[in-house]
Structure formats: structure tokens, C-alpha cells
Amino acid sequence: MDSKALWQRYCDFVQFYPEVQFSIDISRMRFAPNFLETIRPRVLKAFSDMQALESGAIANPDEGRMVGHYWLRAPELAPDEKLRTEIAQGITELQRFAAQVHSGEVRPEKGGRFENVLLIGIGGSALGPQLVSDALWHQSDPMKMFFCDNTDPDGIARTLTQLGDDLAKTLVIVISKSGGTVETRNGSLEVARAYEAKGLKYGPHVVAVTCEDSKLDRQAKSEQWLRQFYMWDWVGGRTSIFSGVGLLPAALQGIDIEQFLEGARAMDRITRIEEPLRNPAALLAQMWYAAGDGKGLKDMVVLPYKDRLMLFSKYLQQLVMESLGKEHDLDGKTVNQGIAVYGNKGSTDQHAYVQQLRDGLNNFFVTFVEVLQDYTASSENVSNMEVEPGVTSGDYLNGFFQGTRRALFEGGRDSITVTIDELNARTLGSLIALYDRTVGLYATLVNINAYHQPGVEAGKKAAANVVELQKQVLEELARFRGGNERKTADELAAAVQRPDEAETIYKILEHLAANPQRGVERSGDRGPTTSTYRMV
Amino acid sequence: MDSKALWQRYCDFVQFYPEVQFSIDISRMRFAPNFLETIRPRVLKAFSDMQALESGAIANPDEGRMVGHYWLRAPELAPDEKLRTEIAQGITELQRFAAQVHSGEVRPEKGGRFENVLLIGIGGSALGPQLVSDALWHQSDPMKMFFCDNTDPDGIARTLTQLGDDLAKTLVIVISKSGGTVETRNGSLEVARAYEAKGLKYGPHVVAVTCEDSKLDRQAKSEQWLRQFYMWDWVGGRTSIFSGVGLLPAALQGIDIEQFLEGARAMDRITRIEEPLRNPAALLAQMWYAAGDGKGLKDMVVLPYKDRLMLFSKYLQQLVMESLGKEHDLDGKTVNQGIAVYGNKGSTDQHAYVQQLRDGLNNFFVTFVEVLQDYTASSENVSNMEVEPGVTSGDYLNGFFQGTRRALFEGGRDSITVTIDELNARTLGSLIALYDRTVGLYATLVNINAYHQPGVEAGKKAAANVVELQKQVLEELARFRGGNERKTADELAAAVQRPDEAETIYKILEHLAANPQRGVERSGDRGPTTSTYRMV
């Protein structure tokens, strides 16, 4: 295609959405000439499924649940008055709470003002808040954000070390829908211990975000936590950013959550338009389908040319892969669906893996995110300096983006470009809402349930089994503690009557033996059949 | 396979490397029974290629260069006395410099002590140092690290904002092999301006890491920077972490670089063993081949169960994809090689995309990284607390790792496990060296040059073209500045006699118009053929 034809294709296939300050360019996607026509019936089906979902249908059949994340930013659309009131009140309440914290009306046990937020959560209860915090951070924010998003004790210790004595001025948010997320429970226990080690009570420093009457809710009540904010079972973790999960930390950080919600609301409006090419989410969903033939045959590489959006690729990785990575379709057929997503940021990644994108395996399509305005309205230390006569650092960033888009296309690699005029709470809200909808529509195109995560359970159950086995092994080791007897993993597996679990037990023993305070000592030649263990 | 057979397979296929405190388990890789035999001749060829490389052969034929990163940790192996001396002296010098900075002998212009390091670099000149810094960070480190790794002016401004007045106590390291990396040059110019805005000279606060007599070396001399540290053209960016690129910032942060080097050296020794199953790097290279049929058919998902290793997946993404993502093989045949790499950390990722790994597309294999010791020897705030009787947060981390490994395997998904006794400078050095060698051996298995990056040039050239076009467009706009005339992108493209570049020019204009201080005003209906522009 010569440059004139390509320019014409660009003019034909770039769509502007002035309501949200977005444009989307699909001119660099090589879909078949009749693709848009053949996919059309499925897209129309996706629109009608989406309409049913938004009206409160059981859109998550496996779990028998409604799917309501669109109501969070437009409570008037929720299917009944009770929900409408709860959602609207929830937002008002958390805004009031944030104002009370900022004013010092809600203050730490020992006085002063809460200056930091420590969010404890994992997956959907951490990644969204991390993205929002990083994308919209400014020096003048009233509170500084910290995160515990794993059950790595060293990782938790590190965050506590960074907080140091400021823990006394730190407000903790524990987020778990069910309250049964073990990683989050462990994080909260470790952090509570750190407060107590400093002679502080945990309760007056901590709030919960959870479902009403969950395990966490009951704990918060019985331990007299500062307060609870409620969410609902019809909000999935990966789409919970517009519930208290995302809004409470954002409001505390000083982010304009009204604008954030308004951005999502505005995007939701235009992604309800039932015209396959006028609806930006439908446009993206169709391109995903075209790229991977509806089977995820191409990985999606997400490249925002903007440092503040570096976590966006990780956010999409979670949203897309957890929503679309499914074994069965809605008819119960085995389909092993999904789209693999990765990426960091441009132009940095050009010095990392773009070599492979350009020359290597053509097993991907790129989504570029371009932000036209070089600084945010609140950026500090704005230089606007010319690094060459008439050229700024931002011009180079734009140049590298354009250059890579071109070089990839010339090499036969496809890309979508999402362009945003500027990055702020409103456009970030729009960006997230765009992909909420895209994932939902794409799920209909490939006939899957985007709103459950059955595969997560297997790993959790297997983990619980490991912890349970460890208890048995420790009991068995305690039986001959201090003596000269030593047993191999095989012998211990036999002793606890789990000969099928010798390997798991061996790996448990290796972990225990590497941590001297656990009192398990290893001897003998190192190896699964030769190492022996005893408790000292 | 029943649990007994699987345990046997584990015992057969887990290898211990006590010299480096590692073990590698390939029991969960489903390679064909005769695979190890059929691949053997290629592995032996890889050993002999590697031996030639280490002896100073031109292992990067396209660029006519030796490939010497193994010499950096064992100067005695370098092919001539001059190199041996330069490498050894380089290490001594940077250690001496770090000691002088720590003692205050080398001090900032206005007195006091250097307390921060701001590293300016991109790709191989930033990611390695970021990994090392994050993995080995402790509160007691003598200096705190900051990074500028992009030409995003807002990203640079953000780092400068975080530094604030501490800029006066900040030592800047500018890293660029050639000195011609535009992103790094821009970062340095922006940072220099920030010093000057505070009434400080840049030169007394900045050192360069570059090749002798490069553009950057000459700049450092003429602007009287504190000093320069030299690297060599036979060290590639993505393997430069054991040169001044990685060692200088690490030494300044207070990391034991002797141990870091020793860890790499020890790993290098065992990855020289010419036995396909005793050599850990050969083992991994063979598994990569088996997983993707030597064509990269499976993505590599890297899951360290350790917060401190979160950047390791990104580091491998760069190392593997830039090294292996090649269009041509060594015989000039078009092969489009590569392996796509992504991942963050466990168990966090179990709440993100592991749903897809378990249930969705089976287009990947996993590399788990397991660290047996829960804390590092220098960790602060060590709790060792029991979150349940006899169970710690670290036991749960281990449980989640084991659970996911099992659930994936039962679902037909393969994984490798790399186990490290503890994380410290030495084992981190070993871990990095393990993959340096694996990539090199795998390159021979698939007959490609792992040491060049020809595909990066296309994007750079295209970017330079964009910046050049912008200058012409700005000149043209200046011709009718302030008047009522307005032109479309098409008209401006014609005016600068680049009608083939209308799209590039349109996108340049949109970027300029979004940044009011650039003086380019947009009017008319928004769109590539309707928007008009003038300079105000």
C-alpha cells in the first residue's frame, strides 16, 4: 500500500469521540475486506446481550449473579431503587469520609493528621487503585499511597520499613469482597502486629471495603475498626475500580472522583451506541477478533507512550486475561479461550523487546496509547524546554511512537492506536470504561462468560492442601523433636499417611529448613530422596 | 501420570547446583522421550560456539564484534592483557569512587554529602540497575536510587519533583554506550536544566558511563563532569549489568558488588560444563526449545514468588526478546525467531491472569522462581509471625506457589521451577548469569545471532524523520504566523514538498496543538482532512 492509499485508509478508519477526548485508529489493522460485514450479526448480538446485562439480567450464569459495574458510575441505571440508593450513598459517604480525614476530623489514635494510606488487597483489589494512584499522582496530593498486595512477608516488611514511624499517621484500607482472601488477611495481620509493636491500636487506624456481613465486615465490627465501606457481589474484582475499592483510596489521595466517574459515564454512553463502527468498544472488540481469529492467536502488546500509564498494560493484562481466559464457552463446549496481554511503556520498551516485535515472531498486535498533551494540568517542574531548536522531549516521545508504529506496519505487524488529548481523572475514567465494555462485547463475540474465574479455585484449593499438609508434617516432626532420628520426605509422607504427597512434603520441608527460626533441620546429601529432617 | 510416577519424575529431573545454592526442576515439562537425545548434537555445537565466544571470537558477526560480558566477572578470561587490566581496574576504580562518595570525600558543589543517585539511561542502561536496586534495597543503604528511563517530559518532571531540593545532594549517572541515545540525552538536558534552575552547576553533580571517546565522553570532558567510567563496544546493553552500567549504581547504593560478581562467576563456571543435563543453562535452553519447538510457539511466563524479584520478568523480557527476536538466522534465512516473555510476581498474579493460564489458551510455559528463605539477611521489620498456629505468611506464599504449579500441570500446562535458597547479591548475580548463558546457548540451538538488534534501527530512523518533518512544518507555519490563513495537514504536506507524509504531519500537528505553549492553533471540524492549523 503506497503512502497515499495508507493516508486514505487512515482518514477512513480513524474515529473521533469528542465527548471523551478520544480517537481510535484501526487503519494499521489488516482485516479482511469482508470482515466487518461477516462479524456484524455477532456484534449486534453482543449489543443486545450487553443491554440485558445492564438491565440486571443474570449475565454471570455460573455464579447466578447480575453484573453491575456500569451502574457504579450511573446509579440511575441500576435495576431497582434500593441499589440506586446504595450506590449513590456509598459515593457520598466515602467522599465525606475522605473530607473528614483531610480536615483532621477523623484523626489517628495519637492525634495529628492521617498523612498516608496503606492499601492491603490483591488482584482486582489492588491493581486498579495502583494504576489510578500512579497515573494521577502529584506532589500536592493530601495523602501518600502505599500498597501491600501479596503474602510475601519480606515484601510486607519492606513496606512497613518504608513507612517507619509514619505508621502512626497511616490510614489502612483492607479490601476483600468476601473477606476470605488469605493473602489480604495475612497482610492485615502483619500490619496489625506492626501497629501493636509501636504501642498503637490497629482498630482506630483501619477501614474495610467489603460486602456487608462478610467475614471481614464482622471482624471490622468486632475489632472496632474505624468503619466499613460496602460493595456488592455483583461487582467483580477486576471491574471494581469504580466502587469503594477504587474510589475510596482515590478520594483519599485527593483525586477528583466526580471527574473520574464522569469520564467513565461519558464513555459508557458512547459504548452503548448500537452501531458497530461508531461504538469505540465494539470497534476494539472487532479488531481483537480480527487479529486473533476469535481464538486469541495473537498476543496483545500494550504500549502507552506515557510514564504515568505504565501500569495500564498490567491492568489490562488482568482485565482481559481473567475475563477472557476460559475453558468452556456458554454452551459448555471446550474452547480454551483468551488473549495474552503484556507491555510496559514507550519509548522505553523500544530499547527492550521491540526488536522482537519488529523482526521476530509475528504473534501479536500492538495497542498504542498516545497522549497528546505532554504534561498534566497539575504537573510540577514543567520545563517545556527545547532539547534542540524547536524540539522538545515530548516531540521525541511522539516521534518514537510514530516511528515504531510505522516500522512495525512496514514489517507486516498490526497495531491499533488509542489517542487521548490529555491525561486526567476524567480521561483515565474513560479509558478504563472503554476496556470494561470492550471485554464484555468481545466475550459475546466468542460466546463466553467474562464475569467468573473458575480456574482460580484450583490453585487456591491446592494451596490450602499444602498448608494443611505442613501442619501434619510439623506435628509428626514434633513427635521426635530433639532426638537423633531424622526422616526423609518419603518417610514423613508415609508417617502422615499421605504417601501420594511426598513431593509436596519435600518442598514444604525445604522451605522450612531454609528458615532457621522454624526449627527444622536438614541433613544428608541434598536431594529429594537423600535429605533427612528433624525438628531441633 | 499418578502421583508416585510424578514424584519419581521429579526425583529424576530436579538438579542441584550447591556451588550457587540453586536447583532447577524440569519434571513438569512434557518433552518427548527422545527429545534430549535428538537435541544433543545441537547442544554440543552450542557448547563449542560458546567456548569460541568466550575465547574472543567474533560472535556478533553482523557488527564484527567480540561478545565479552562473561569477562566482566572473570577478567582473567579476557583474550588479552590490555582488556584484563582495563576490566579489573574499572571495578577497582568504581569501588574507590563509591567509597569516596560515601565518605564525603567526593561531595556536592554546595557541600554536605551525596545522598541520592539519579540514573539516566534507557533499556539495558536502566532495567538491570532497576532490578538490582529493587531486589537488594534496604533501609540502611547509604544512597537512595531514582531513575529517568524515558523521554517523557512529564515522567522526568515527576522524578525531579520527588527529588525536590534534595537535587543538591543527588549524584547523577548518565549511561549511554555511544552517547547517541536521544532519550538519555534529553533526560540529561532536562535534569541539567533543573540543577541550573536551583542555581547549581550540573557538572559537579554528574558522572558518565560510556565508551571512551564517545560523544558523551567528550561532552563530559568539555563540561567538566565529575568523571567518566568506561565500558566497551563488546558489551551489549542487555548484558551490561556486570560492567559499570550495573556495578557503579549498585556500589553507590551499598550493594556488595564483589558478591554480585562472585555469584555470576560461580554460575558461569557451572554453565561451562559441557554436559547437556549437568549444565543448568543448557538444561533451560533445551526446555525452551522443547516448549516452543525451537520456534517460540509458546510464550514464557515468568513468575517469581518474591516481591523483590518483580522486575526480573521485565529484565528477562528484555534479555530474551531482544536477543532472540530475529528475522534472519546465521545463514541469512528468514526465520522470524523469538520467545515472548511476560509476568510479574506470585501469588499476586494468581488474582490477575492465572485464570487464563489455568483454563484458557495453552500458548505458554511458566518459569517459577522460588526463594526458600522468607527474608533477606538484611531485612528490617522481620516479623516471623504466625498467621495461624504454626503457619506464616511465607508458608502461604510457598503454598500458593506449589498449588499453582500443581493446578497448571494437572490442566496440561508445563512449568520449570528455579529454586534459590536465599536472595542476596550473590544469588542475584548467579540468577542473571544463568539467563545470560541460557540465551546464548539457545541462540545456537536455533542458529541465530543473539548479540545484535538490527530491528531497533528502523524505529529510530523513522523517529528522526518525524522530528525533522516537524522542523519543516514549524518553519512553514511560521511563514504565515499570526495571519488568518489556516492550512490542513494535506496542504502543509504539499507546502513542505512531502505529500507522502500527510499522515505523519497531521499527527505532528495534533501533538503540537494539544500543547498551547507551542503556538499551533487548531480550527475546523476535528479530523485528518478537516482540521486546519496556524501559528499564533
Side-chain angles (χ1 to χ4, degrees):
Chain A
M1 198 174 285
D2 69 11
S3 69
K4 204 179 150 189
L6 205 52
W7 168 230
Q8 186 57 52
R9 185 174 168 83
Y10 176 74
C11 295
D12 291 345
F13 283 119
V14 64
Q15 292 277 348
F16 284 80
Y17 308 97
E19 309 88 332
V20 288
Q21 300 185 282
F22 272 56
S23 67
I24 297 179
D25 159 29
I26 59 163
S27 67
R28 263 54 172 186
M29 295 296 285
R30 293 172 174 84
F31 49 89
N34 65 343
F35 168 75
L36 296 172
E37 200 180 318
T38 54
I39 194 86
R40 191 177 161 83
R42 289 199 209 207
V43 180
L44 297 179
K45 166 85 161 59
F47 289 145
S48 87
D49 283 4
M50 188 54 76
Q51 204 176 44
L53 177 151
E54 286 210 86
S55 312
I58 301 299
N60 176 359
D62 303 53
E63 300 181 342
R65 285 178 182 166
M66 304 188 292
V67 174
H69 51 272
Y70 300 104
W71 310 330
L72 297 172
R73 45 248 200 181
E76 68 278 11
L77 299 181
D80 66 57
E81 187 54 37
K82 181 165 171 291
L83 283 184
R84 287 194 279 274
T85 310
E86 279 180 19
I87 297 167
Q89 278 184 353
I91 296 170
T92 309
E93 276 174 33
L94 67 86
Q95 281 178 307
R96 191 181 309 139
F97 179 75
Q100 288 170 335
V101 170
H102 293 162
S103 73
E105 190 182 333
V106 171
R107 64 165 70 91
E109 183 190 3
K110 303 278 184 188
R113 213 176 61 76
F114 280 119
E115 292 173 10
N116 307 301
V117 174
L118 171 57
L119 187 154
I120 305 175
I122 193 165
S125 301
L127 195 40
Q130 283 167 337
L131 165 67
V132 172
S133 172
D134 193 46
L136 302 177
W137 177 90
H138 290 104
Q139 183 73 16
S140 51
D141 292 340
M143 300 182 82
K144 207 173 154 190
M145 301 294 302
F146 295 82
F147 296 89
C148 275
D149 68 350
N150 200 2
T151 182
D152 176 357
D154 185 55
I156 299 167
R158 198 144 79 129
T159 304
L160 290 169
T161 300
Q162 283 159 346
L163 277 163
D165 287 338
D166 286 348
L167 201 62
K169 296 181 267 180
T170 299
L171 178 71
V172 179
I173 308 179
V174 180
I175 306 182
S176 173
K177 206 162 124 176
S178 65
T181 312
V182 172
E183 292 95 324
T184 302
R185 182 207 62 179
N186 293 354
S188 180
L189 287 168
E190 297 263 6
V191 169
R193 184 187 174 281
Y195 276 92
E196 284 149 19
K198 287 189 188 293
L200 299 165
K201 288 185 197 138
Y202 188 43
H205 298 88
V206 56
V207 302
V209 178
T210 187
C211 284
E212 201 164 351
D213 205 37
S214 72
K215 206 169 156 182
L216 179 58
D217 185 30
R218 294 194 300 271
Q219 179 191 1
K221 280 176 182 154
S222 79
E223 294 179 5
Q224 295 180 293
W225 290 15
L226 265 178
R227 66 174 293 172
Q228 302 91 261
F229 296 90
Y230 293 125
M231 53 186 303
W232 305 271
D233 70 356
W234 42 262
V235 180
R238 57 189 173 275
T239 55
S240 64
I241 196 165
F242 294 100
S243 74
V245 173
L247 297 182
L248 178 62
L252 288 165
Q253 188 179 330
I255 290 164
D256 186 340
I257 64 170
E258 291 287 358
Q259 281 298 304
F260 185 54
L261 285 160
E262 177 50 35
R265 198 152 44 227
M267 181 59 82
D268 285 349
R269 279 192 293 266
I270 62 173
T271 60
R272 269 183 209 112
I273 297 171
E274 301 201 347
E275 292 175 43
L277 289 180
R278 275 302 303 158
N279 175 325
L283 197 67
L284 291 180
Q286 290 173 90
M287 289 304 105
W288 293 5
Y289 195 101
D293 200 21
K295 302 181 190 100
L297 300 183
K298 299 257 174 170
D299 294 350
M300 172 159 48
V301 179
V302 180
L303 275 182
Y305 276 66
K306 180 55 70 187
D307 286 2
R308 288 180 180 269
L309 288 177
M310 188 162 84
L311 292 179
F312 185 62
S313 50
K314 215 164 141 177
Y315 183 82
L316 278 193
Q317 185 179 60
Q318 169 180 264
L319 175 68
V320 172
M321 294 178 75
E322 197 166 41
S323 300
L324 303 180
K326 299 294 155 70
E327 184 172 10
H328 301 296
D329 69 8
L330 287 167
D331 305 321
K333 219 176 85 190
T334 300
V335 288
N336 298 116
Q337 271 289 358
I339 299 176
V341 179
Y342 63 90
N344 306 299
K345 68 178 183 184
S347 70
T348 308
D349 284 354
Q350 290 182 224
H351 295 262
Y353 60 80
V354 170
Q355 162 65 33
Q356 177 166 315
L357 300 192
R358 161 85 180 142
D359 278 2
L361 275 172
N362 188 351
N363 66 345
F364 67 91
F365 67 105
V366 174
T367 299
F368 291 109
V369 183
E370 179 193 20
V371 180
L372 294 176
Q373 209 172 83
D374 287 340
Y375 296 94
T376 76
S378 316
S379 287
E380 295 97 353
N381 277 297
V382 169
S383 81
N384 284 319
M385 85 178 285
E386 295 188 353
V387 292
E388 291 168 21
V391 182
T392 67
S393 298
D395 295 336
Y396 266 102
L397 190 65
N398 178 269
F400 282 114
F401 149 63
Q402 287 210 53
T404 298
R405 171 171 169 274
R406 168 180 290 201
L408 289 177
F409 187 75
E410 288 174 354
R413 277 76 174 161
D414 289 355
S415 66
I416 296 167
T417 298
V418 175
T419 301
I420 309 171
D421 284 0
E422 56 178 303
L423 182 64
N424 54 37
R426 192 176 195 281
T427 56
L428 183 64
S430 297
L431 186 65
I432 293 167
L434 171 65
Y435 282 92
D436 277 347
R437 189 81 82 181
T438 302
V439 163
L441 295 175
Y442 182 86
T444 294
L445 298 187
V446 301
N447 191 36
I448 57 152
N449 178 354
Y451 308 106
H452 64 165
Q453 48 284 331
V456 172
E457 286 308 310
K460 275 192 204 172
K461 276 185 195 151
N465 174 49
V466 175
V467 171
E468 189 47 43
L469 265 177
Q470 177 181 300
K471 291 181 186 167
Q472 295 172 35
V473 169
L474 283 170
E475 272 174 35
E476 175 61 22
L477 286 169
R479 276 194 44 247
F480 54 94
R481 179 197 302 240
N484 286 325
E485 196 180 356
R486 298 159 194 279
K487 288 187 172 172
T488 63
D490 266 319
E491 288 162 354
L492 282 161
V496 301
Q497 302 183 316
R498 296 297 300 275
D500 55 316
E501 289 285 16
E503 181 175 327
T504 310
I505 288 170
Y506 170 66
K507 292 192 73 70
I508 288 170
L509 290 162
E510 282 292 286
H511 174 241
L512 292 171
N515 292 280
Q517 76 284 0
R518 307 305 291 276
V520 175
E521 185 191 77
R522 177 182 52 224
S523 313
D525 279 349
R526 198 154 175 193
T529 56
T530 49
S531 290
T532 56
Y533 306 87
R534 65 167 185 160
M535 194 176 272
V536 289
Chain B
M1 198 176 287
D2 70 12
S3 69
K4 204 179 150 190
L6 204 53
W7 170 228
Q8 187 56 53
R9 185 174 169 83
Y10 175 75
C11 294
D12 292 345
F13 283 120
V14 65
Q15 293 278 347
F16 284 80
Y17 307 98
E19 309 87 332
V20 289
Q21 299 185 282
F22 271 56
S23 67
I24 296 179
D25 159 30
I26 59 163
S27 67
R28 264 53 173 186
M29 295 295 287
R30 293 172 173 85
F31 47 91
N34 64 344
F35 168 75
L36 296 172
E37 200 181 319
T38 54
I39 193 87
R40 191 177 162 84
R42 289 198 209 206
V43 179
L44 298 180
K45 165 83 161 61
F47 289 146
S48 88
D49 283 4
M50 187 55 76
Q51 206 176 44
L53 177 152
E54 287 209 86
S55 313
I58 301 299
N60 176 359
D62 304 52
E63 301 179 343
R65 285 178 182 167
M66 304 188 292
V67 173
H69 50 273
Y70 301 103
W71 309 330
L72 297 172
R73 45 249 199 181
E76 67 278 12
L77 299 180
D80 67 57
E81 188 53 39
K82 181 166 171 288
L83 283 183
R84 288 192 279 275
T85 310
E86 280 180 18
I87 297 167
Q89 278 185 353
I91 296 169
T92 311
E93 277 174 33
L94 67 86
Q95 282 179 305
R96 191 181 310 139
F97 179 74
Q100 288 169 335
V101 170
H102 293 161
S103 73
E105 191 183 330
V106 171
R107 65 166 66 93
E109 183 190 3
K110 303 278 184 186
R113 212 177 61 76
F114 280 119
E115 293 174 9
N116 307 301
V117 175
L118 171 57
L119 187 154
I120 305 175
I122 192 166
S125 301
L127 195 41
Q130 283 167 337
L131 165 66
V132 172
S133 172
D134 193 47
L136 302 176
W137 177 90
H138 290 103
Q139 182 74 15
S140 51
D141 292 340
M143 300 182 82
K144 207 172 156 192
M145 302 295 301
F146 295 81
F147 296 89
C148 276
D149 68 350
N150 199 1
T151 182
D152 175 358
D154 185 55
I156 300 167
R158 197 143 81 128
T159 305
L160 289 169
T161 300
Q162 283 159 346
L163 277 163
D165 287 339
D166 286 348
L167 200 61
K169 296 181 267 179
T170 300
L171 177 71
V172 178
I173 308 178
V174 179
I175 305 181
S176 172
K177 207 162 123 178
S178 65
T181 311
V182 173
E183 292 93 325
T184 302
R185 182 206 64 179
N186 293 353
S188 181
L189 286 168
E190 297 263 5
V191 169
R193 185 186 173 282
Y195 276 91
E196 284 150 20
K198 288 190 188 291
L200 299 164
K201 286 184 199 139
Y202 188 45
H205 298 87
V206 56
V207 303
V209 178
T210 187
C211 284
E212 202 165 350
D213 204 37
S214 71
K215 204 170 158 184
L216 178 58
D217 185 30
R218 294 194 301 271
Q219 180 191 359
K221 281 176 181 153
S222 80
E223 295 179 5
Q224 294 180 293
W225 290 15
L226 265 177
R227 66 175 291 173
Q228 302 91 260
F229 295 90
Y230 293 125
M231 53 186 302
W232 305 270
D233 70 356
W234 42 263
V235 180
R238 57 189 174 275
T239 54
S240 64
I241 195 164
F242 295 100
S243 74
V245 173
L247 296 182
L248 178 62
L252 288 165
Q253 188 181 330
I255 290 163
D256 186 341
I257 64 170
E258 291 287 357
Q259 280 299 304
F260 184 56
L261 285 159
E262 177 51 35
R265 197 152 46 225
M267 181 59 82
D268 285 348
R269 277 192 294 268
I270 62 172
T271 60
R272 266 182 214 115
I273 297 171
E274 300 201 346
E275 292 175 42
L277 289 180
R278 276 300 305 158
N279 175 326
L283 198 66
L284 291 179
Q286 290 173 90
M287 289 304 105
W288 294 4
Y289 194 102
D293 200 21
K295 301 180 191 101
L297 300 182
K298 299 256 175 172
D299 294 349
M300 171 158 48
V301 179
V302 179
L303 275 181
Y305 276 66
K306 180 53 71 187
D307 286 2
R308 287 179 181 270
L309 287 177
M310 189 163 83
L311 292 180
F312 185 61
S313 50
K314 215 164 139 176
Y315 183 82
L316 279 192
Q317 184 179 61
Q318 169 181 264
L319 175 68
V320 173
M321 294 178 75
E322 197 167 40
S323 299
L324 303 180
K326 299 293 156 72
E327 183 171 11
H328 302 295
D329 69 8
L330 286 167
D331 306 322
K333 219 177 85 188
T334 300
V335 288
N336 298 117
Q337 271 289 357
I339 299 177
V341 179
Y342 63 90
N344 306 298
K345 68 177 182 186
S347 69
T348 308
D349 284 353
Q350 290 182 223
H351 294 262
Y353 59 82
V354 170
Q355 163 64 33
Q356 176 165 317
L357 300 192
R358 162 86 180 140
D359 279 1
L361 275 172
N362 188 350
N363 66 343
F364 67 92
F365 66 105
V366 173
T367 299
F368 291 109
V369 183
E370 180 192 20
V371 180
L372 294 176
Q373 209 172 84
D374 287 341
Y375 296 93
T376 75
S378 316
S379 287
E380 295 97 352
N381 278 297
V382 169
S383 81
N384 283 319
M385 85 177 285
E386 295 187 351
V387 293
E388 290 167 23
V391 183
T392 67
S393 299
D395 294 337
Y396 266 102
L397 190 65
N398 178 269
F400 282 114
F401 149 63
Q402 286 210 54
T404 298
R405 171 171 168 276
R406 168 180 289 202
L408 288 177
F409 187 74
E410 288 174 355
R413 276 76 175 162
D414 290 356
S415 66
I416 296 167
T417 298
V418 176
T419 301
I420 310 171
D421 284 359
E422 58 179 291
L423 182 65
N424 54 37
R426 193 177 195 280
T427 56
L428 183 64
S430 296
L431 186 64
I432 294 167
L434 171 64
Y435 283 92
D436 277 347
R437 189 81 81 182
T438 303
V439 163
L441 295 174
Y442 182 86
T444 294
L445 299 186
V446 300
N447 193 37
I448 57 153
N449 177 354
Y451 308 106
H452 64 164
Q453 48 284 330
V456 171
E457 285 309 308
K460 275 192 203 171
K461 276 186 197 152
N465 174 49
V466 175
V467 170
E468 189 47 45
L469 265 177
Q470 177 181 300
K471 290 181 187 168
Q472 294 173 34
V473 169
L474 283 170
E475 272 174 36
E476 175 61 23
L477 285 169
R479 275 194 45 248
F480 54 96
R481 177 197 305 239
N484 285 326
E485 196 179 356
R486 296 159 196 279
K487 286 186 174 172
T488 64
D490 266 320
E491 287 162 355
L492 282 160
V496 301
Q497 301 182 317
R498 295 300 298 274
D500 55 316
E501 289 286 16
E503 183 175 326
T504 310
I505 288 171
Y506 169 67
K507 291 191 75 70
I508 288 170
L509 289 163
E510 282 292 286
H511 173 241
L512 292 171
N515 292 280
Q517 76 284 0
R518 307 305 292 276
V520 175
E521 185 191 75
R522 177 183 50 224
S523 315
D525 279 348
R526 199 152 174 194
T529 56
T530 49
S531 289
T532 56
Y533 305 88
R534 64 166 186 161
M535 194 176 271
V536 289

XYZ file of all heavy atoms in Angstrom, chain B residues 4 38 96 106 127 167 193 290 297 311 331 356 406:
110
model
N 2.822 -41.139 42.290
C 4.074 -41.839 42.534
C 5.028 -41.683 41.341
O 6.215 -41.386 41.506
C 3.777 -43.335 42.778
C 4.865 -44.013 43.592
C 4.559 -45.473 43.862
C 5.868 -46.248 43.968
N 5.651 -47.694 43.982
N 17.750 -36.340 20.670
C 17.787 -35.723 19.338
C 18.414 -34.329 19.370
O 19.051 -33.909 18.423
C 16.374 -35.630 18.714
O 15.512 -34.968 19.633
C 15.811 -37.003 18.406
N 36.361 2.490 44.409
C 37.034 3.595 45.106
C 36.142 4.843 45.064
O 35.969 5.541 46.057
C 38.400 3.870 44.474
C 39.235 4.821 45.314
C 40.589 5.131 44.677
N 41.298 3.923 44.284
C 41.983 3.791 43.145
N 42.056 4.805 42.291
N 42.609 2.666 42.859
N 34.222 12.841 47.943
C 33.575 13.420 46.766
C 32.239 13.957 47.242
O 31.399 13.189 47.704
C 33.371 12.369 45.653
C 32.509 12.934 44.536
C 34.717 11.904 45.102
N 17.270 -0.930 33.000
C 16.467 -2.020 33.557
C 17.269 -2.915 34.500
O 16.771 -3.314 35.563
C 15.871 -2.825 32.394
C 14.739 -3.777 32.670
C 13.716 -3.217 33.629
C 14.072 -4.147 31.340
N 17.848 17.577 45.199
C 18.648 17.532 43.969
C 20.089 17.977 44.256
O 21.035 17.436 43.690
C 18.011 18.444 42.910
C 18.384 18.185 41.462
C 17.972 16.788 41.019
C 17.731 19.229 40.542
N 19.022 21.254 33.345
C 18.233 22.478 33.473
C 17.677 22.613 34.895
O 17.624 23.722 35.449
C 17.086 22.431 32.464
C 16.260 23.690 32.424
C 15.056 23.512 31.518
N 14.174 24.654 31.613
C 13.325 24.861 32.608
N 13.249 23.989 33.594
N 12.552 25.936 32.617
N 12.194 -27.331 23.662
C 11.132 -28.345 23.709
C 9.757 -27.685 23.793
O 8.810 -28.091 23.116
C 11.337 -29.274 24.909
N 6.942 -21.127 19.813
C 5.486 -21.306 19.713
C 4.773 -21.094 21.047
O 3.563 -20.927 21.075
C 5.157 -22.703 19.162
C 5.716 -23.005 17.768
C 5.288 -24.388 17.301
C 5.263 -21.932 16.762
N 10.785 -7.219 39.147
C 11.327 -6.707 37.879
C 12.089 -7.770 37.096
O 12.509 -7.520 35.967
C 12.242 -5.497 38.136
C 11.531 -4.241 38.641
C 12.544 -3.116 38.860
C 10.466 -3.779 37.647
N 22.508 -18.138 8.644
C 22.721 -18.419 7.219
C 21.951 -17.449 6.326
O 21.900 -17.630 5.104
C 22.272 -19.860 6.898
C 22.951 -20.874 7.797
O 24.160 -20.677 8.088
O 22.276 -21.831 8.241
N -6.434 -17.345 33.094
C -6.220 -17.735 31.687
C -5.178 -18.838 31.575
O -5.327 -19.770 30.767
C -5.823 -16.526 30.829
C -5.493 -16.932 29.386
C -5.446 -15.763 28.424
O -6.288 -14.886 28.463
N -4.446 -15.745 27.552
N 0.964 -27.111 40.651
C 0.217 -28.356 40.511
C -1.026 -28.170 39.642
O -1.285 -28.971 38.731
C -0.202 -28.867 41.889
C -1.243 -29.997 41.784
C -1.662 -30.510 43.137
N -0.569 -31.259 43.737
C -0.726 -32.175 44.703
N -1.938 -32.431 45.174
N 0.305 -32.808 45.200
